[in-house]
Coordinates of all heavy atoms in Angstrom, one line a residue:
M1 N 160.1 200.7 248.7 CA 161.3 201.2 249.3 C 162.4 200.1 249.1 O 163.6 200.5 248.8 CB 161.1 201.5 250.8 CG 162.4 201.9 251.5 SD 162.9 203.5 251.0 CE 164.3 203.8 252.0
Q2 N 162.1 198.9 249.1 CA 163.1 197.8 249.0 C 163.9 197.9 247.7 O 165.1 197.7 247.7 CB 162.4 196.5 249.2 CG 163.4 195.3 249.1 CD 164.3 195.2 250.3 OE1 164.0 195.7 251.4 NE2 165.5 194.7 250.1
R3 N 163.2 198.2 246.6 CA 163.9 198.2 245.3 C 164.8 199.4 245.2 O 165.8 199.4 244.4 CB 162.9 198.2 244.2 CG 162.1 199.4 244.1 CD 161.0 199.2 243.0 NE 160.1 200.4 243.0 CZ 160.4 201.5 242.3 NH1 161.4 201.6 241.5 NH2 159.5 202.5 242.3
N4 N 164.7 200.4 246.1 CA 165.5 201.6 246.0 C 166.8 201.5 246.8 O 167.7 202.3 246.7 CB 164.7 202.8 246.5 CG 163.6 203.2 245.6 OD1 163.6 203.0 244.4 ND2 162.5 203.8 246.2
I5 N 166.9 200.5 247.6 CA 168.1 200.3 248.5 C 169.3 200.2 247.6 O 170.4 200.9 247.9 CB 167.9 199.1 249.4 CG1 166.8 199.4 250.4 CG2 169.2 198.8 250.1 CD1 166.5 198.2 251.3
H6 N 169.3 199.5 246.6 CA 170.5 199.4 245.7 C 170.9 200.7 245.1 O 172.0 201.1 245.1 CB 170.2 198.3 244.6 CG 171.4 198.2 243.6 ND1 172.6 197.6 244.0 CD2 171.6 198.5 242.4 CE1 173.4 197.6 243.0 NE2 172.8 198.1 242.0
F7 N 169.9 201.5 244.7 CA 170.1 202.8 244.1 C 170.8 203.7 245.1 O 171.7 204.4 244.8 CB 168.7 203.4 243.7 CG 168.8 204.8 243.3 CD1 169.4 205.2 242.1 CD2 168.3 205.8 244.1 CE1 169.4 206.5 241.7 CE2 168.3 207.1 243.7 CZ 168.9 207.5 242.5
Y8 N 170.3 203.7 246.4 CA 170.9 204.5 247.4 C 172.3 204.1 247.7 O 173.2 204.9 247.9 CB 170.0 204.4 248.7 CG 168.7 205.1 248.6 CD1 167.6 204.4 249.0 CD2 168.6 206.4 248.2 CE1 166.3 205.0 248.9 CE2 167.3 207.0 248.1 CZ 166.2 206.3 248.4 OH 165.0 206.9 248.3
R9 N 172.6 202.8 247.7 CA 173.9 202.4 248.0 C 174.9 202.8 246.9 O 176.0 203.2 247.2 CB 173.9 200.8 248.1 CG 173.3 200.4 249.4 CD 173.6 198.9 249.7 NE 173.0 198.6 251.0 CZ 172.2 197.6 251.3 NH1 172.0 196.7 250.4 NH2 171.7 197.4 252.5
I10 N 174.4 202.8 245.7 CA 175.3 203.4 244.6 C 175.5 204.9 244.8 O 176.6 205.3 244.7 CB 174.6 203.1 243.2 CG1 174.6 201.6 242.9 CG2 175.3 203.9 242.1 CD1 173.8 201.2 241.7
L11 N 174.5 205.6 245.1 CA 174.6 207.0 245.3 C 175.5 207.4 246.5 O 176.2 208.4 246.4 CB 173.2 207.7 245.6 CG 172.3 207.9 244.4 CD1 171.0 208.5 244.8 CD2 173.0 208.7 243.3
M12 N 175.5 206.6 247.5 CA 176.3 206.9 248.7 C 177.8 207.2 248.4 O 178.4 208.0 248.9 CB 176.2 205.8 249.8 CG 174.9 205.9 250.5 SD 174.9 204.7 251.9 CE 173.6 203.6 251.4
G13 N 178.3 206.4 247.4 CA 179.7 206.5 247.1 C 179.9 207.6 246.0 O 181.1 207.9 245.8
Q14 N 178.9 208.2 245.4 CA 179.1 209.1 244.3 C 178.8 210.5 244.6 O 179.2 211.4 243.9 CB 178.2 208.6 243.1 CG 178.6 207.2 242.6 CD 177.7 206.8 241.5 OE1 176.7 207.4 241.2 NE2 178.1 205.7 240.8
L15 N 178.0 210.8 245.6 CA 177.5 212.2 245.8 C 178.4 212.8 246.9 O 178.7 212.2 247.9 CB 176.1 212.2 246.3 CG 175.1 211.6 245.3 CD1 173.7 211.6 245.9 CD2 175.1 212.5 244.0
T16 N 178.7 214.1 246.7 CA 179.4 214.9 247.7 C 178.3 215.8 248.3 O 177.4 216.3 247.6 CB 180.5 215.7 247.1 OG1 180.0 216.6 246.2 CG2 181.6 214.8 246.5
G17 N 178.5 216.0 249.6 CA 177.5 216.9 250.3 C 176.2 216.3 250.6 O 175.3 216.9 251.1
I18 N 176.1 215.0 250.4 CA 174.8 214.3 250.7 C 175.2 213.0 251.4 O 176.0 212.2 250.9 CB 174.0 214.0 249.5 CG1 173.5 215.3 248.8 CG2 172.8 213.1 249.8 CD1 172.7 215.1 247.6
K19 N 174.7 212.7 252.6 CA 175.0 211.5 253.4 C 173.7 210.8 253.7 O 172.7 211.4 254.1 CB 175.7 211.9 254.7 CG 177.0 212.7 254.5 CD 178.1 211.9 253.9 CE 179.3 212.7 253.8 NZ 180.2 212.3 252.8
F20 N 173.8 209.5 253.5 CA 172.6 208.6 253.8 C 173.0 207.9 255.1 O 174.1 207.5 255.3 CB 172.4 207.6 252.7 CG 171.9 208.2 251.5 CD1 172.8 208.6 250.5 CD2 170.6 208.4 251.2 CE1 172.4 209.1 249.3 CE2 170.2 208.9 250.0 CZ 171.1 209.3 249.1
T21 N 172.0 207.8 256.0 CA 172.2 207.1 257.3 C 171.2 206.0 257.3 O 170.0 206.2 257.0 CB 172.0 208.1 258.5 OG1 172.8 209.2 258.4 CG2 172.2 207.4 259.8
N22 N 171.7 204.8 257.7 CA 170.8 203.6 257.8 C 170.1 203.5 259.1 O 170.6 204.0 260.1 CB 171.6 202.4 257.5 CG 172.2 202.4 256.1 OD1 171.7 203.1 255.2 ND2 173.3 201.6 255.9
D23 N 169.0 202.8 259.1 CA 168.3 202.5 260.3 C 169.0 201.2 260.9 O 170.0 200.7 260.4 CB 166.8 202.3 260.1 CG 166.5 201.1 259.2 OD1 167.3 200.3 258.9 OD2 165.3 201.1 258.7
L24 N 168.4 200.7 262.0 CA 169.0 199.5 262.7 C 169.0 198.3 261.8 O 169.8 197.4 262.1 CB 168.2 199.3 264.0 CG 168.4 200.4 265.0 CD1 167.5 200.0 266.3 CD2 169.8 200.6 265.5
T25 N 168.1 198.2 260.8 CA 168.1 197.0 259.9 C 169.1 197.2 258.8 O 169.2 196.3 257.9 CB 166.7 196.8 259.4 OG1 166.3 197.9 258.6 CG2 165.7 196.6 260.5
G26 N 169.8 198.3 258.7 CA 170.7 198.5 257.6 C 170.1 199.2 256.4 O 170.8 199.4 255.4
H27 N 168.9 199.5 256.4 CA 168.2 200.2 255.3 C 168.4 201.7 255.4 O 168.3 202.3 256.5 CB 166.7 199.8 255.2 CG 166.5 198.4 255.0 ND1 166.3 197.5 256.0 CD2 166.4 197.7 253.8 CE1 166.1 196.3 255.4 NE2 166.2 196.4 254.1
P28 N 168.6 202.4 254.2 CA 168.7 203.8 254.3 C 167.4 204.5 254.8 O 166.3 204.1 254.4 CB 168.9 204.2 252.8 CG 169.0 203.0 252.0 CD 168.7 201.8 252.9
R29 N 167.6 205.4 255.7 CA 166.4 206.0 256.4 C 166.5 207.5 256.4 O 165.5 208.2 256.2 CB 166.2 205.5 257.8 CG 165.2 206.2 258.5 CD 164.4 205.4 259.4 NE 163.3 206.1 260.0 CZ 162.5 205.6 260.8 NH1 162.6 204.4 261.1 NH2 161.5 206.4 261.3
Y30 N 167.6 208.1 256.5 CA 167.8 209.5 256.7 C 168.7 210.0 255.6 O 169.7 209.3 255.2 CB 168.3 209.9 258.0 CG 167.5 209.4 259.2 CD1 168.0 208.2 259.9 CD2 166.3 209.9 259.6 CE1 167.2 207.7 260.9 CE2 165.6 209.4 260.6 CZ 166.1 208.3 261.3 OH 165.3 207.8 262.3
V31 N 168.5 211.3 255.2 CA 169.4 211.9 254.3 C 169.9 213.3 254.9 O 169.0 214.0 255.3 CB 168.7 212.2 252.9 CG1 169.7 212.9 252.0 CG2 168.2 210.9 252.3
R32 N 171.2 213.5 254.9 CA 171.7 214.8 255.4 C 172.3 215.5 254.2 O 173.0 214.9 253.4 CB 172.8 214.6 256.4 CG 172.3 214.0 257.7 CD 173.3 214.0 258.8 NE 174.4 213.1 258.3 CZ 175.6 213.1 258.8 NH1 175.9 213.9 259.8 NH2 176.6 212.3 258.4
V33 N 171.8 216.7 254.0 CA 172.2 217.5 252.8 C 173.0 218.7 253.3 O 172.6 219.5 254.2 CB 171.0 218.0 252.0 CG1 171.4 218.8 250.8 CG2 170.2 216.8 251.6
D34 N 174.2 218.9 252.7 CA 175.1 220.1 253.0 C 174.4 221.3 252.3 O 174.5 221.4 251.1 CB 176.5 219.8 252.5 CG 177.4 221.0 252.8 OD1 176.9 222.1 253.1 OD2 178.6 220.7 252.8
L35 N 173.8 222.1 253.1 CA 173.1 223.3 252.5 C 174.1 224.3 251.9 O 173.7 225.1 251.0 CB 172.2 223.9 253.5 CG 171.0 223.0 254.0 CD1 170.2 223.7 255.0 CD2 170.2 222.6 252.8
Q36 N 175.3 224.4 252.4 CA 176.3 225.3 251.8 C 176.6 224.8 250.3 O 176.8 225.6 249.5 CB 177.5 225.3 252.6 CG 177.4 226.1 253.9 CD 178.7 226.3 254.6 OE1 179.6 225.5 254.4 NE2 178.8 227.3 255.5
Q37 N 176.5 223.5 250.1 CA 176.8 223.0 248.8 C 175.6 222.9 247.9 O 175.7 223.1 246.7 CB 177.5 221.6 249.0 CG 178.1 221.0 247.7 CD 178.9 219.8 248.0 OE1 179.2 219.4 249.1 NE2 179.3 219.1 246.9
H38 N 174.5 222.5 248.5 CA 173.2 222.2 247.7 C 172.1 223.1 248.1 O 171.0 222.9 247.6 CB 172.8 220.8 247.9 CG 173.9 219.8 247.5 ND1 174.1 219.6 246.1 CD2 174.7 219.0 248.2 CE1 175.1 218.7 246.0 NE2 175.4 218.3 247.2
G39 N 172.3 224.2 248.9 CA 171.2 225.0 249.4 C 170.4 225.8 248.3 O 169.3 226.1 248.5
D40 N 171.1 226.0 247.2 CA 170.5 226.8 246.1 C 169.8 225.9 245.1 O 169.4 226.4 244.0 CB 171.5 227.7 245.4 CG 172.0 228.8 246.3 OD1 171.2 229.2 247.2 OD2 173.1 229.3 246.1
N41 N 169.7 224.6 245.4 CA 169.1 223.7 244.4 C 167.6 223.8 244.4 O 166.9 223.6 245.5 CB 169.5 222.3 244.8 CG 169.1 221.2 243.9 OD1 167.9 221.1 243.5 ND2 170.0 220.4 243.4
M42 N 167.0 224.1 243.3 CA 165.5 224.3 243.2 C 164.8 223.1 243.5 O 163.7 223.1 244.0 CB 165.2 224.9 241.8 CG 165.7 226.3 241.5 SD 165.1 227.5 242.7 CE 163.4 227.6 242.3
L43 N 165.3 221.9 243.1 CA 164.6 220.7 243.4 C 164.5 220.4 244.9 O 163.5 220.0 245.4 CB 165.3 219.5 242.7 CG 165.1 219.4 241.2 CD1 165.9 218.3 240.6 CD2 163.6 219.3 240.8
L44 N 165.6 220.7 245.6 CA 165.6 220.6 247.0 C 164.6 221.5 247.7 O 163.9 221.1 248.6 CB 167.1 220.8 247.6 CG 167.2 220.8 249.1 CD1 166.8 219.4 249.7 CD2 168.6 221.2 249.5
E45 N 164.6 222.7 247.2 CA 163.6 223.7 247.7 C 162.2 223.2 247.5 O 161.4 223.3 248.4 CB 163.9 225.0 247.0 CG 163.0 226.2 247.6 CD 163.3 227.5 246.9 OE1 164.4 227.7 246.5 OE2 162.4 228.3 246.9
D46 N 161.9 222.7 246.3 CA 160.6 222.2 246.0 C 160.2 221.0 246.9 O 159.1 220.9 247.4 CB 160.5 221.8 244.5 CG 160.5 222.9 243.6 OD1 160.3 224.1 244.0 OD2 160.7 222.7 242.3
F47 N 161.2 220.1 247.1 CA 161.0 219.0 248.0 C 160.6 219.4 249.4 O 159.7 219.0 250.0 CB 162.2 218.1 248.0 CG 162.2 217.0 249.0 CD1 161.3 215.9 248.8 CD2 163.0 217.0 250.1 CE1 161.3 214.9 249.7 CE2 162.9 216.0 251.0 CZ 162.1 214.9 250.8
L48 N 161.4 220.4 249.9 CA 161.1 220.9 251.3 C 159.8 221.6 251.3 O 159.1 221.5 252.3 CB 162.3 221.8 251.7 CG 163.6 221.1 251.9 CD1 164.7 222.1 252.2 CD2 163.6 220.0 252.9
D49 N 159.5 222.3 250.3 CA 158.2 223.0 250.2 C 157.0 222.0 250.3 O 156.0 222.2 250.9 CB 158.0 223.9 249.0 CG 158.8 225.2 249.1 OD1 159.3 225.5 250.2 OD2 159.0 225.8 248.0
S50 N 157.2 220.9 249.5 CA 156.1 219.9 249.5 C 156.0 219.2 250.8 O 154.8 218.9 251.2 CB 156.4 218.8 248.4 OG 157.5 218.0 248.8
I51 N 157.1 219.0 251.6 CA 156.9 218.5 252.9 C 156.2 219.5 253.8 O 155.3 219.1 254.6 CB 158.3 218.2 253.5 CG1 158.9 217.0 252.8 CG2 158.2 217.9 255.0 CD1 160.4 216.7 253.1
A52 N 156.5 220.8 253.7 CA 155.8 221.8 254.5 C 154.3 221.8 254.2 O 153.5 221.8 255.1 CB 156.4 223.2 254.3
V53 N 154.0 221.7 252.9 CA 152.6 221.6 252.5 C 151.9 220.4 253.1 O 150.8 220.4 253.7 CB 152.4 221.6 251.0 CG1 151.0 221.3 250.6 CG2 152.8 223.0 250.4
E54 N 152.5 219.2 253.0 CA 152.0 218.0 253.5 C 151.7 218.1 255.1 O 150.7 217.5 255.5 CB 152.9 216.8 253.2 CG 152.3 215.5 253.5 CD 151.1 215.1 252.7 OE1 151.1 215.6 251.5 OE2 150.3 214.3 253.1
T55 N 152.6 218.7 255.8 CA 152.4 218.8 257.2 C 151.2 219.7 257.6 O 150.7 219.6 258.7 CB 153.6 219.4 258.0 OG1 153.9 220.7 257.5 CG2 154.8 218.5 257.7
R56 N 150.8 220.6 256.7 CA 149.7 221.5 257.0 C 148.4 221.0 256.4 O 147.3 221.6 256.5 CB 150.0 222.9 256.4 CG 151.3 223.4 257.0 CD 151.5 224.8 256.6 NE 150.5 225.6 257.4 CZ 150.6 226.9 257.6 NH1 151.6 227.6 257.0 NH2 149.7 227.6 258.2
K57 N 148.4 219.8 255.8 CA 147.2 219.2 255.3 C 146.1 219.0 256.3 O 146.4 218.6 257.5 CB 147.6 217.8 254.7 CG 146.6 217.2 253.7 CD 147.1 215.9 253.2 CE 146.5 215.6 251.9 NZ 147.1 214.4 251.3
G58 N 144.9 219.4 256.0 CA 143.8 219.3 257.0 C 143.6 220.5 257.8 O 142.6 220.6 258.5
E59 N 144.5 221.5 257.7 CA 144.3 222.8 258.4 C 143.2 223.6 257.7 O 142.9 223.4 256.6 CB 145.5 223.6 258.4 CG 146.6 223.1 259.3 CD 147.8 224.0 259.4 OE1 147.8 225.2 258.8 OE2 148.8 223.7 260.0
T60 N 142.5 224.4 258.5 CA 141.5 225.2 257.9 C 142.1 226.3 257.0 O 143.2 226.7 257.2 CB 140.7 226.0 259.0 OG1 141.6 226.8 259.8 CG2 139.9 225.0 259.9
T61 N 141.3 226.6 256.0 CA 141.8 227.6 255.0 C 140.8 228.7 254.8 O 139.7 228.6 255.4 CB 142.0 226.9 253.6 OG1 140.7 226.4 253.2 CG2 143.0 225.8 253.7
M62 N 141.2 229.7 254.1 CA 140.3 230.8 253.8 C 140.6 231.4 252.5 O 141.7 231.3 252.0 CB 140.3 231.9 254.9 CG 141.6 232.8 254.8 SD 141.6 234.3 255.8 CE 141.0 233.8 257.4
P63 N 139.6 231.9 251.8 CA 139.9 232.5 250.5 C 140.9 233.7 250.6 O 140.9 234.4 251.6 CB 138.5 233.1 250.0 CG 137.5 232.2 250.8 CD 138.2 231.9 252.1
F64 N 141.7 233.9 249.6 CA 142.8 234.9 249.6 C 142.2 236.3 249.9 O 142.7 237.1 250.6 CB 143.6 234.9 248.3 CG 144.7 235.9 248.3 CD1 145.8 235.7 249.1 CD2 144.6 237.0 247.5 CE1 146.8 236.7 249.1 CE2 145.6 237.9 247.5 CZ 146.7 237.8 248.3
D65 N 141.1 236.6 249.2 CA 140.5 237.9 249.3 C 140.0 238.2 250.8 O 140.2 239.3 251.3 CB 139.3 238.1 248.4 CG 139.7 238.1 246.9 OD1 140.8 238.5 246.7 OD2 138.8 237.9 246.1
D66 N 139.5 237.1 251.5 CA 139.2 237.3 252.9 C 140.4 237.5 253.7 O 140.4 238.3 254.7 CB 138.4 236.0 253.4 CG 137.0 235.9 252.7 OD1 136.6 236.8 252.1 OD2 136.5 234.8 252.9
F67 N 141.5 236.8 253.4 CA 142.7 237.0 254.1 C 143.2 238.4 254.0 O 143.6 239.1 255.0 CB 143.8 236.0 253.6 CG 145.1 236.3 254.2 CD1 145.5 235.9 255.5 CD2 146.1 236.9 253.4 CE1 146.8 236.2 256.0 CE2 147.4 237.2 253.9 CZ 147.7 236.8 255.2
V68 N 143.2 239.0 252.8 CA 143.7 240.3 252.5 C 142.8 241.3 253.3 O 143.3 242.2 254.0 CB 143.7 240.6 251.0 CG1 144.0 242.1 250.8 CG2 144.7 239.8 250.3
K69 N 141.5 241.1 253.3 CA 140.6 242.0 254.0 C 140.9 242.0 255.5 O 141.0 243.0 256.1 CB 139.2 241.6 253.7 CG 138.1 242.5 254.4 CD 136.7 242.0 254.1 CE 135.7 242.8 254.8 NZ 134.4 242.3 254.7
E70 N 141.0 240.8 256.0 CA 141.3 240.6 257.4 C 142.6 241.3 257.8 O 142.7 241.9 258.9 CB 141.3 239.1 257.8 CG 141.2 238.8 259.2 CD 141.1 237.3 259.4 OE1 140.0 236.8 259.2 OE2 142.1 236.7 259.8
E71 N 143.7 241.1 257.0 CA 145.0 241.7 257.3 C 144.9 243.2 257.2 O 145.5 243.9 258.1 CB 146.0 241.1 256.3 CG 146.6 239.8 256.7 CD 147.3 239.8 258.1 OE1 148.2 240.5 258.2 OE2 146.8 239.0 259.0
N72 N 144.2 243.7 256.2 CA 144.1 245.2 256.1 C 143.3 245.7 257.3 O 143.7 246.8 257.8 CB 143.4 245.5 254.8 CG 144.3 245.3 253.6 OD1 145.5 245.3 253.7 ND2 143.7 245.2 252.4
E73 N 142.3 245.1 257.8 CA 141.6 245.5 259.0 C 142.5 245.5 260.2 O 142.5 246.4 261.0 CB 140.3 244.7 259.2 CG 139.2 244.9 258.2 CD 138.1 243.9 258.3 OE1 138.1 243.0 259.2 OE2 137.1 244.1 257.5
R74 N 143.3 244.4 260.3 CA 144.2 244.2 261.5 C 145.2 245.3 261.5 O 145.6 245.8 262.6 CB 144.8 242.9 261.4 CG 145.7 242.5 262.6 CD 146.3 241.1 262.5 NE 147.3 241.0 261.5 CZ 148.6 241.4 261.6 NH1 149.0 242.0 262.7 NH2 149.5 241.3 260.6
R75 N 145.7 245.7 260.3 CA 146.7 246.7 260.2 C 146.2 248.2 260.2 O 147.0 249.1 260.2 CB 147.6 246.5 259.0 CG 148.4 245.2 259.1 CD 149.1 244.9 257.8 NE 149.8 243.6 257.9 CZ 150.5 243.2 256.9 NH1 150.7 243.9 255.8 NH2 151.1 242.0 257.0
G76 N 144.9 248.3 260.0 CA 144.3 249.6 259.9 C 144.5 250.2 258.6 O 144.5 251.5 258.5
V77 N 144.6 249.4 257.6 CA 144.8 249.9 256.2 C 143.4 250.0 255.5 O 142.7 249.0 255.5 CB 145.7 249.0 255.4 CG1 145.9 249.4 254.0 CG2 147.1 248.9 256.1
N78 N 143.1 251.1 254.9 CA 141.9 251.2 254.1 C 142.2 251.0 252.6 O 143.0 251.8 252.1 CB 141.3 252.6 254.3 CG 140.8 252.8 255.8 OD1 140.4 251.9 256.4 ND2 140.9 254.0 256.3
V79 N 141.5 250.0 252.1 CA 141.7 249.8 250.7 C 140.4 249.9 250.0 O 139.4 249.5 250.4 CB 142.4 248.4 250.4 CG1 142.5 248.1 249.0 CG2 143.7 248.3 251.1

């Protein structure tokens, strides 16, 4: 992270719709993104998706076919 601080400081003055907030030690810690300006950005969407995936790491999973069967039974659908 230390080597990226210079990069972030350069970006802070060049990007619109993106704000970096420093922690108490002065290091960049948070990023605020204007979703009206950057909300349709596919890289941002992928980044947020990867965070969502990471937070669900370790949860139990089931095969897709089992999920479909279970959902169809729950809804009373005969397939």
Side-chain angles (χ1 to χ4, degrees):
M1 176 71 177
Q2 183 65 28
R3 65 185 177 89
N4 293 330
I5 291 173
H6 180 68
F7 172 73
Y8 291 128
R9 287 191 176 133
I10 291 171
L11 283 179
M12 282 187 245
Q14 297 175 351
L15 298 177
T16 61
I18 297 179
K19 302 290 183 207
F20 294 91
T21 304
N22 295 339
D23 61 17
L24 295 175
T25 65
H27 294 95
R29 172 140 184 183
Y30 306 102
V31 178
R32 291 186 301 162
V33 178
D34 181 341
L35 294 178
Q36 286 183 338
Q37 190 171 351
H38 298 289
D40 291 334
N41 185 305
M42 293 301 292
L43 290 174
L44 176 61
E45 186 177 331
D46 290 345
F47 173 71
L48 296 174
D49 287 346
S50 70
I51 291 173
V53 167
E54 188 65 28
T55 63
R56 300 188 75 162
K57 200 176 203 174
E59 288 185 6
T60 58
T61 62
M62 72 168 47
F64 180 71
D65 292 339
D66 293 349
F67 170 77
V68 171
K69 180 180 176 187
E70 195 174 284
E71 280 297 300
N72 287 339
E73 290 172 359
R74 185 180 70 81
R75 296 177 183 179
V77 176
N78 293 327
V79 177

